Amino acid sequence: MPYIPTYNSRDPKYKTPYGAVPSGTQVQFTLRPPRAESYSHASVCARFESWGDQIVLMKMPWQGFEEGHDLFTVSLDTGDYVGLVWYSFRLEKLDGRTQDLGPYQLTVYDGEESVPAWFGEGVTYQIFPDRFCRSRIPDPEGMVGGRVVHQNWDEFPEHRPNDRGEIRNRDFFGGDFQGVMDKLDFLKSLGVETIYFNPIFEAAENHRYGTADYSRVDPMLGTNEDFSRLCSEAHSRGMRVMLDGVFNHTGSNSRYFNAQGAYPGAGAFQSRESPYYPWYAFLYWPNRYDAWWGVKTLPAVNETCPSYMDYIIEGKDSIIRRWLRAGADAWRLDVADELPDEFIARIRAVMVQEKPDSFLLGEVWEDGSNKIAYDQRRKYLLGREAHGLMNYPFRTAALAYLQGGGAEAFMEAMEVIRENYPRPAFYSAMNLLGTHDTARVLTMLGVGPEGGPEERTARADYRMSPEERERGTRLLRAGAVLLYAFPGSPTVYYGDEAGMEGFEDPFNRGTYPWGHEDQALQRHFALLGRLRNERVSMQSGELKWLHAKGPLLAFAREEGEEVTAAILNVGDGVEEVSIPWSGHLATDVISGQQFAPVQDRLLLRIPGMECILLV
């Protein structure tokens, strides 16, 4: 007989509904202990964390007998509660012996708050603005930061410290909005529906995370009007635009802090009478102040300061409002862990007022449903803050699988997220294999987790061998199928589809290799993007696991009669798998090969480091 567990939170025979639930839901729990264990009583203990750890203890009446197992069942009323419920079970015998199961997490969210579906359904493309495409070589004269511009687009970013040991990030290549507009049709050919920009606002550094002026586009990119024109051009092609909101800190060279006096008017560094002085936390004014991770060029702000809240969020012409009016469709919140819950909630409320279909994304690197940051349980996904999060858990699990970890571990990691996240948040996650904060995925897959030199200069100069690049490319093709077929928005870091390589920042931030792309890899991504746009099953279909063992992973997305199935073999040898497939011929859209089912099943042989996508 197959093994029957006493409790399985992911099986509807034990818990309904599946996973996270909206408040007001009756959640039914069922225990199935073996009759041979002779348990006579059962109970559940539920701790409502957001209600001051209020405890609800309920007996679970015996409901009958099935397949050699007793059944104990009870329903838990979530009422108007919003938050996490931690529940455990106790089974008791007549002789007093007990068995405890748990604790388990139940996420209860505000189901009255809607999530725009467009983000999770479409393909996202992340652009690091300085490095994507330039329309001309800019003159940095008069721009904040003492910038140097590379004349040759194909040069490598500066990574060496100056004579004071500082890495200043002041070398620019001059990527601009006109360059992006020139490539909109190219992005459309990749199936892109959302363009996510790293920060675009005026800043001294090439990464622009030390904002100098939230109200102004960095002049190297263009003008505020150029941004609106770009949004209009993107919208005319069915694409939306997401901006990076860096609201935990500003730059020290900003009109608000103004440490070097680059801006007219007194900043917080210059005068305690400055309107911006209350935004910052000075230990000893003006030289000792709270800074993001101790980086003195990034003074931290007090997000709950009323004037800062008004400037960024609440005011009639707030930063959130004005850039939505200018054409943006979404905001991504940098370091969301370091933003107060109320600050995030107010941003969402204002976005709904200003543009009801706009989308709010949070940068979180872990399971966002139960994240504790600064000793506080965060509430990102409970219905009043972020619509979705960056799915770094997906990246971690996918890379581990692609680099030789078992498919079982990937499935388990994703089932944890699927169970803990509200369904709208799970389907609106930003899935990714690489970003500006990680090494290039091609390098990770080709060199391996322990590969490459350790010394920084050697890592800057390192280029993969033909064998490493071949291996990395084959695994990236498989990883792209996983990315595009999985629930959530498949997100491509600029140039990954062109075969860019490089270790950590700034080696992962080279210029786009126009004219030197890996065209076969690019075509592979374009095919996947087109399929994602065309097939509703890939956009919003139910996830169904078909096989997960060793190097072989298979899952399907189903929407009505439409089925798409991804099968990946990341090992070196041939693997066989049998999957359910009713009726029709199955076509691998990557190779064009067709497979006929036998008795509603397909028997497939997958070569090593290959993948198929069946429709």
Side-chain angles (χ1 to χ4, degrees):
M1 286 183 60
Y3 169 71
I4 299 177
T6 299
Y7 182 69
N8 180 355
S9 62
R10 299 171 189 163
D11 189 328
K13 293 190 298 183
Y14 300 85
K15 174 182 174 288
T16 55
Y18 172 88
V21 299
S23 59
T25 301
Q26 293 274 346
V27 182
Q28 181 171 293
F29 302 115
T30 299
L31 297 180
R32 296 171 175 266
R35 167 59 62 89
E37 295 292 334
S38 302
Y39 288 108
S40 58
H41 295 82
S43 60
V44 61
C45 178
R47 175 168 62 88
F48 289 71
E49 183 178 84
S50 296
W51 281 351
D53 289 328
Q54 177 180 323
I55 299 294
V56 173
L57 183 63
M58 295 184 295
K59 294 181 179 180
M60 300 179 68
W62 182 81
Q63 297 294 324
F65 178 76
E66 183 179 280
E67 298 180 345
H69 292 254
D70 289 303
L71 306 181
F72 297 90
T73 300
V74 73
S75 289
L76 176 70
D77 187 358
T78 59
D80 59 356
Y81 178 78
V82 174
L84 298 186
V85 178
W86 300 97
Y87 64 95
S88 303
F89 302 105
R90 171 161 289 184
L91 288 159
E92 301 179 40
K93 296 183 178 183
L94 289 175
D95 62 8
R97 287 184 292 172
T98 63
Q99 179 188 5
D100 293 328
L101 302 172
Y104 302 92
Q105 175 182 325
L106 173 64
T107 305
V108 184
Y109 62 97
D110 184 350
E112 295 184 0
E113 298 288 335
S114 62
V115 174
W118 58 263
F119 178 77
E121 293 176 353
V123 177
T124 300
Y125 193 87
Q126 179 185 353
I127 290 178
F128 194 84
D130 186 59
R131 310 289 161 81
F132 181 63
C133 185
R134 69 184 181 190
S135 62
R136 80 283 187 261
I137 301 176
D139 179 2
E141 182 68 28
M143 298 183 187
V144 66
R147 311 178 187 196
V148 175
V149 176
H150 292 265
Q151 299 301 296
N152 184 348
W153 180 255
D154 296 326
E155 290 176 1
F156 203 69
E158 182 58 62
H159 67 278
R160 295 161 296 188
N162 61 18
D163 55 7
R164 293 188 298 274
E166 303 169 324
I167 298 176
R168 294 170 57 82
N169 294 298
R170 301 298 170 84
D171 65 312
F172 288 75
F173 284 85
D176 56 24
F177 286 148
Q178 184 59 55
V180 176
M181 283 186 273
D182 291 342
K183 300 299 182 181
L184 285 177
D185 289 336
F186 160 72
L187 295 177
K188 187 66 177 178
S189 74
L190 293 178
V192 173
E193 295 191 352
T194 301
I195 302 172
Y196 156 44
F197 284 107
N198 287 112
I200 65 169
F201 307 119
E202 185 171 37
E205 300 86 5
N206 53 44
H207 52 68
R208 298 190 174 97
Y209 277 94
T211 310
D213 189 345
Y214 290 107
S215 68
R216 184 187 185 204
V217 162
D218 192 280
M220 198 169 282
L221 293 173
T223 65
N224 292 10
E225 292 72 24
D226 290 333
F227 172 75
S228 292
R229 187 161 59 92
L230 186 158
C231 290
S232 178
E233 291 289 333
H235 292 160
S236 71
R237 292 166 172 81
M239 292 186 278
R240 292 179 168 92
V241 174
M242 173 182 286
L243 293 181
D244 209 337
V246 187
F247 302 131
N248 167 262
H249 51 270
T250 68
S252 58
N253 291 325
S254 66
R255 69 170 55 256
Y256 318 108
F257 200 81
N258 211 11
Q260 296 181 358
Y263 289 89
F269 185 86
Q270 297 158 310
S271 172
R272 297 186 186 189
E273 302 303 316
S274 167
Y276 309 120
Y277 178 81
W279 292 10
Y280 302 94
F282 288 94
L283 304 177
Y284 295 101
W285 180 83
N287 292 311
R288 292 184 61 186
Y289 47 86
D290 185 24
W292 183 76
W293 287 65
V295 180
K296 301 301 286 184
T297 57
L298 300 176
V301 299
N302 173 14
E303 298 94 344
T304 59
C305 174
S307 63
Y308 184 73
M309 188 90 75
D310 188 69
Y311 179 77
I312 297 294
I313 309 172
E314 303 286 3
K316 291 183 180 179
D317 195 30
S318 71
I319 297 304
I320 294 295
R321 295 182 192 275
R322 72 172 66 182
W323 291 104
L324 290 175
R325 293 170 187 163
D329 305 281
W331 283 97
R332 177 258 192 189
L333 298 180
D334 185 56
V335 292
D337 291 346
E338 302 181 38
L339 299 174
D341 284 314
E342 180 61 24
F343 188 84
I344 300 174
R346 290 197 184 192
I347 288 178
R348 174 162 169 170
V350 165
M351 290 177 65
V352 170
Q353 293 172 7
E354 195 65 43
K355 186 174 284 190
D357 201 33
S358 58
F359 188 87
L360 182 61
L361 181 83
E363 180 199 13
V364 178
W365 285 59
E366 303 86 5
D367 181 338
S369 71
N370 53 33
K371 177 70 185 288
I372 294 177
Y374 300 94
D375 299 320
Q376 297 291 323
R377 180 80 71 189
R378 302 313 303 266
K379 303 176 182 178
Y380 311 116
L381 299 179
L382 296 182
R384 300 165 187 171
E385 295 186 19
H387 292 116
L389 302 177
M390 297 181 77
N391 199 352
Y392 276 100
F394 172 89
R395 175 183 182 270
T396 300
L399 287 182
Y401 164 60
L402 292 168
Q403 291 171 331
E408 306 94 325
F410 174 81
M411 182 180 72
E412 172 60 23
M414 291 302 93
E415 280 299 281
V416 169
I417 297 296
R418 181 160 72 139
E419 184 177 16
N420 288 349
Y421 280 28
R423 178 187 168 89
F426 181 73
Y427 277 78
S428 295
M430 175 186 270
N431 296 340
L432 45 92
L433 295 174
T435 72
H436 64 292
D437 286 324
T438 68
R440 285 281 176 178
V441 61
L442 184 61
T443 297
M444 292 288 290
L445 296 176
V447 175
E450 306 299 329
E454 295 184 5
E455 199 272 325
R456 184 173 174 83
T457 299
R459 290 170 78 80
D461 297 333
Y462 190 86
R463 296 295 179 270
M464 288 188 288
S465 68
E467 293 77 17
E468 288 173 331
R469 191 170 181 91
E470 171 66 17
R471 179 178 180 83
T473 300
R474 293 180 69 182
L475 289 174
L476 179 53
R477 287 172 57 86
V481 169
L482 176 60
L483 178 70
Y484 278 72
F486 206 76
S489 176
T491 301
V492 179
Y493 182 45
Y494 81 101
D496 279 349
E497 84 290 352
M500 288 182 67
E501 59 181 278
F503 290 103
E504 71 282 350
D505 167 27
F507 315 129
N508 60 349
R509 301 177 181 181
T511 54
Y512 195 97
W514 298 111
H516 307 286
E517 305 93 331
D518 182 331
Q519 295 186 1
L521 188 61
Q522 203 169 66
R523 288 193 297 270
H524 181 68
F525 274 83
L527 170 64
L528 295 175
R530 176 176 61 79
L531 290 167
R532 181 79 185 208
N533 287 341
E534 293 175 353
R535 296 187 64 77
V536 67
S537 57
M538 294 178 70
Q539 297 168 11
S540 57
E542 288 293 328
L543 172 65
K544 182 178 180 181
W545 300 104
L546 305 177
H547 184 92
K549 186 176 181 180
L552 196 62
L553 175 69
F555 63 91
R557 302 286 304 283
E558 300 179 355
E559 184 75 27
E561 296 297 315
E562 184 183 290
V563 179
T564 306
I567 302 95
L568 292 74
N569 174 16
V570 299
D572 294 321
V574 175
E575 296 284 338
E576 290 189 353
V577 64
S578 174
I579 64 171
W581 194 272
S582 59
H584 306 285
L585 279 173
T587 300
D588 174 19
V589 292
I590 297 174
S591 68
Q593 186 177 0
Q594 291 190 321
F595 306 89
V598 177
Q599 296 181 343
D600 290 336
R601 296 194 71 85
L602 293 173
L603 178 61
L604 304 169
R605 286 173 53 85
I606 314 297
M609 286 188 284
E610 293 291 344
C611 56
I612 62 176
L613 189 64
L614 298 179
V615 300

